[in-house]
Coordinates of all heavy atoms in Angstrom, one line a residue:
T250 N -12.2 -12.1 0.0 CA -12.8 -12.8 -1.1 C -13.9 -11.9 -1.8 O -14.2 -12.1 -3.0 CB -13.5 -14.1 -0.7 OG1 -14.4 -13.8 0.3 CG2 -12.4 -15.0 -0.2
W251 N -14.4 -10.9 -1.1 CA -15.5 -10.0 -1.7 C -14.8 -8.8 -2.3 O -15.6 -7.9 -2.8 CB -16.5 -9.6 -0.6 CG -15.9 -9.0 0.6 CD1 -15.5 -7.7 0.8 CD2 -15.5 -9.6 1.8 NE1 -15.0 -7.4 2.0 CE2 -15.0 -8.6 2.7 CE3 -15.6 -10.9 2.3 CZ2 -14.6 -8.9 4.0 CZ3 -15.2 -11.2 3.6 CH2 -14.7 -10.2 4.4
H252 N -13.5 -8.7 -2.3 CA -12.9 -7.6 -3.0 C -12.8 -7.7 -4.5 O -13.2 -8.8 -5.0 CB -11.5 -7.4 -2.4 CG -11.5 -6.7 -1.0 ND1 -10.4 -6.9 -0.1 CD2 -12.4 -6.0 -0.4 CE1 -10.7 -6.2 1.0 NE2 -11.9 -5.7 0.9
S253 N -12.3 -6.7 -5.1 CA -12.3 -6.6 -6.6 C -11.4 -7.6 -7.3 O -10.2 -7.7 -7.0 CB -11.8 -5.2 -7.0 OG -11.5 -5.1 -8.4
A254 N -11.9 -8.4 -8.1 CA -11.1 -9.4 -8.9 C -10.2 -8.6 -9.9 O -9.1 -9.0 -10.2 CB -12.0 -10.3 -9.8
L255 N -10.6 -7.4 -10.3 CA -9.8 -6.6 -11.2 C -8.5 -6.1 -10.4 O -7.4 -6.2 -11.0 CB -10.6 -5.4 -11.7 CG -9.8 -4.3 -12.4 CD1 -9.1 -4.9 -13.7 CD2 -10.7 -3.1 -12.9
E256 N -8.7 -5.7 -9.2 CA -7.5 -5.3 -8.4 C -6.6 -6.4 -8.2 O -5.3 -6.2 -8.2 CB -7.9 -4.6 -7.1 CG -8.7 -3.4 -7.1 CD -8.1 -2.3 -8.0 OE1 -6.8 -2.3 -8.1 OE2 -8.8 -1.4 -8.4
M257 N -7.1 -7.6 -7.9 CA -6.2 -8.7 -7.7 C -5.4 -9.1 -9.0 O -4.2 -9.4 -9.0 CB -7.0 -10.0 -7.3 CG -6.1 -11.2 -7.0 SD -6.8 -12.4 -6.0 CE -5.4 -13.6 -6.0
K258 N -6.1 -9.0 -10.1 CA -5.4 -9.2 -11.4 C -4.3 -8.2 -11.6 O -3.2 -8.5 -12.1 CB -6.4 -9.2 -12.5 CG -5.8 -9.2 -13.9 CD -6.2 -8.0 -14.7 CE -5.6 -8.0 -16.1 NZ -6.4 -7.3 -17.1
L259 N -4.6 -6.9 -11.3 CA -3.6 -5.9 -11.5 C -2.4 -6.1 -10.6 O -1.3 -5.8 -11.0 CB -4.3 -4.5 -11.2 CG -5.3 -4.0 -12.3 CD1 -6.0 -2.8 -11.8 CD2 -4.6 -3.8 -13.6
Y260 N -2.7 -6.6 -9.4 CA -1.6 -6.9 -8.5 C -0.7 -8.0 -9.0 O 0.5 -8.0 -8.9 CB -2.1 -7.3 -7.1 CG -2.1 -6.2 -6.1 CD1 -3.0 -5.1 -6.1 CD2 -1.2 -6.2 -5.0 CE1 -3.0 -4.1 -5.1 CE2 -1.1 -5.2 -4.1 CZ -2.0 -4.1 -4.1 OH -2.0 -3.1 -3.2
L261 N -1.4 -9.0 -9.5 CA -0.6 -10.2 -10.1 C 0.3 -9.7 -11.2 O 1.5 -10.0 -11.3 CB -1.6 -11.2 -10.7 CG -2.3 -12.1 -9.7 CD1 -3.4 -12.9 -10.5 CD2 -1.3 -13.1 -9.1
Q262 N -0.2 -8.8 -12.1 CA 0.6 -8.3 -13.2 C 1.7 -7.3 -12.7 O 2.8 -7.3 -13.2 CB -0.3 -7.6 -14.2 CG -1.2 -8.6 -14.9 CD -2.1 -7.9 -16.0 OE1 -2.3 -6.7 -16.0 NE2 -2.6 -8.7 -16.9
R263 N 1.3 -6.5 -11.7 CA 2.2 -5.5 -11.3 C 3.5 -6.1 -10.5 O 4.6 -5.6 -10.7 CB 1.5 -4.5 -10.3 CG 2.3 -3.5 -9.6 CD 2.9 -2.5 -10.6 NE 3.5 -1.3 -10.0 CZ 4.8 -1.3 -9.6 NH1 5.5 -2.4 -9.7 NH2 5.3 -0.2 -9.0
F264 N 3.2 -7.1 -9.8 CA 4.3 -7.7 -8.9 C 4.7 -9.1 -9.4 O 5.2 -9.9 -8.6 CB 3.9 -7.7 -7.5 CG 3.6 -6.3 -6.9 CD1 2.3 -5.9 -6.5 CD2 4.7 -5.4 -6.8 CE1 2.1 -4.6 -6.0 CE2 4.4 -4.1 -6.3 CZ 3.2 -3.7 -5.9
L265 N 4.5 -9.3 -10.7 CA 4.9 -10.7 -11.2 C 6.4 -11.0 -10.9 O 6.7 -12.1 -10.7 CB 4.7 -10.7 -12.7 CG 4.9 -12.0 -13.4 CD1 3.9 -13.0 -13.1 CD2 5.0 -11.8 -14.9
H266 N 7.2 -10.0 -11.0 CA 8.7 -10.2 -10.8 C 9.0 -10.6 -9.4 O 10.2 -11.0 -9.1 CB 9.5 -8.9 -11.2 CG 9.0 -7.7 -10.6 ND1 7.8 -7.1 -10.9 CD2 9.6 -6.9 -9.6 CE1 7.6 -6.0 -10.1 NE2 8.7 -5.9 -9.4
H267 N 8.1 -10.5 -8.5 CA 8.3 -10.8 -7.1 C 7.6 -12.1 -6.6 O 7.6 -12.3 -5.4 CB 7.9 -9.6 -6.2 CG 8.9 -8.5 -6.2 ND1 10.2 -8.7 -6.1 CD2 8.7 -7.1 -6.2 CE1 10.8 -7.5 -6.1 NE2 9.9 -6.5 -6.2
I268 N 7.0 -12.8 -7.5 CA 6.3 -14.0 -7.1 C 7.2 -14.9 -6.3 O 6.8 -15.4 -5.2 CB 5.8 -14.8 -8.3 CG1 4.7 -14.0 -9.0 CG2 5.3 -16.2 -7.9 CD1 3.4 -13.9 -8.2
G269 N 8.4 -15.1 -6.7 CA 9.4 -16.0 -6.0 C 9.7 -15.5 -4.6 O 10.1 -16.3 -3.7
G270 N 9.5 -14.2 -4.3 CA 9.8 -13.6 -3.0 C 8.7 -13.5 -2.1 O 8.8 -13.0 -1.0
L271 N 7.5 -14.0 -2.5 CA 6.3 -13.8 -1.7 C 6.4 -14.8 -0.4 O 6.0 -14.3 0.7 CB 5.0 -14.1 -2.4 CG 4.6 -13.1 -3.5 CD1 3.3 -13.5 -4.1 CD2 4.5 -11.7 -2.9
P272 N 6.8 -16.0 -0.6 CA 6.7 -16.9 0.6 C 7.6 -16.5 1.7 O 7.2 -16.7 2.9 CB 7.2 -18.3 0.0 CG 6.9 -18.2 -1.4 CD 7.1 -16.8 -1.8
D273 N 8.8 -15.9 1.4 CA 9.7 -15.5 2.5 C 9.8 -14.0 2.6 O 10.6 -13.5 3.4 CB 11.0 -16.1 2.4 CG 11.8 -15.6 1.2 OD1 11.2 -14.8 0.4 OD2 13.0 -16.1 1.0
L274 N 9.0 -13.2 1.9 CA 8.9 -11.8 1.9 C 10.2 -11.1 1.6 O 10.5 -9.9 1.9 CB 8.5 -11.3 3.3 CG 7.1 -11.8 3.7 CD1 6.8 -11.4 5.2 CD2 6.0 -11.2 2.8
S275 N 11.1 -11.9 0.9 CA 12.4 -11.3 0.4 C 12.1 -10.3 -0.7 O 13.1 -9.5 -1.1 CB 13.3 -12.4 -0.1 OG 12.8 -13.1 -1.1
A276 N 10.9 -10.2 -1.2 CA 10.5 -9.2 -2.2 C 10.5 -7.8 -1.6 O 10.5 -6.8 -2.4 CB 9.2 -9.6 -2.9
L277 N 10.4 -7.7 -0.3 CA 10.1 -6.4 0.3 C 11.3 -5.7 0.9 O 12.3 -6.3 1.2 CB 9.1 -6.7 1.5 CG 7.8 -7.4 1.1 CD1 6.9 -7.5 2.3 CD2 7.1 -6.6 0.0
K278 N 11.2 -4.4 1.0 CA 12.1 -3.5 1.6 C 11.4 -2.6 2.6 O 10.3 -2.2 2.3 CB 12.9 -2.7 0.6 CG 13.8 -3.6 -0.3 CD 14.5 -2.8 -1.4 CE 15.6 -3.6 -2.1 NZ 15.1 -4.9 -2.6
F279 N 12.1 -2.2 3.7 CA 11.5 -1.4 4.7 C 12.4 -0.3 5.1 O 13.6 -0.3 4.9 CB 11.1 -2.2 5.9 CG 10.0 -3.3 5.7 CD1 10.4 -4.6 5.4 CD2 8.7 -2.9 5.7 CE1 9.4 -5.5 5.2 CE2 7.7 -3.9 5.5 CZ 8.1 -5.2 5.3
T280 N 11.8 0.8 5.6 CA 12.5 1.9 6.1 C 13.2 1.6 7.5 O 12.8 0.6 8.1 CB 11.6 3.2 6.2 OG1 10.5 2.8 7.0 CG2 11.1 3.7 4.9
K281 N 14.0 2.5 7.9 CA 14.7 2.3 9.2 C 13.7 2.5 10.3 O 13.7 1.7 11.3 CB 15.9 3.3 9.3 CG 16.6 3.1 10.6 CD 17.8 4.1 10.7 CE 18.6 3.9 12.0 NZ 19.8 4.8 12.1
Y282 N 12.9 3.5 10.3 CA 11.9 3.8 11.3 C 10.6 3.7 10.7 O 10.4 3.2 9.6 CB 12.1 5.2 11.9 CG 13.5 5.5 12.5 CD1 14.4 6.3 11.9 CD2 13.8 4.9 13.7 CE1 15.6 6.6 12.5 CE2 15.1 5.1 14.3 CZ 16.0 6.0 13.7 OH 17.2 6.2 14.2
N283 N 9.5 4.1 11.4 CA 8.2 4.1 10.8 C 8.2 5.1 9.7 O 9.1 6.0 9.6 CB 7.2 4.6 11.9 CG 7.5 5.9 12.5 OD1 7.2 7.0 11.9 ND2 8.3 6.0 13.6
Q284 N 7.2 5.0 8.8 CA 7.3 5.8 7.6 C 7.1 7.3 7.8 O 7.6 8.1 7.0 CB 6.2 5.3 6.6 CG 6.5 4.0 5.9 CD 6.3 2.8 6.9 OE1 5.3 2.7 7.5 NE2 7.3 1.9 7.0
Y285 N 6.5 7.7 8.9 CA 6.3 9.1 9.2 C 7.7 9.7 9.4 O 8.1 10.7 8.8 CB 5.4 9.3 10.4 CG 5.3 10.8 10.7 CD1 4.5 11.6 9.9 CD2 6.0 11.4 11.7 CE1 4.3 13.0 10.2 CE2 5.8 12.7 12.0 CZ 5.0 13.5 11.2 OH 4.9 14.9 11.5

Side-chain angles (χ1 to χ4, degrees):
T250 58
W251 56 83
H252 284 157
S253 166
L255 173 58
E256 294 305 337
M257 181 161 180
K258 173 240 179 152
L259 292 171
Y260 260 75
L261 282 169
Q262 293 184 337
R263 175 67 171 83
F264 298 113
L265 182 74
H266 53 289
H267 283 315
I268 291 293
L271 291 184
D273 66 358
L274 300 174
S275 58
L277 304 180
K278 292 175 169 59
F279 294 96
T280 53
K281 182 177 180 179
Y282 302 109
N283 60 83
Q284 285 78 49
Y285 180 76

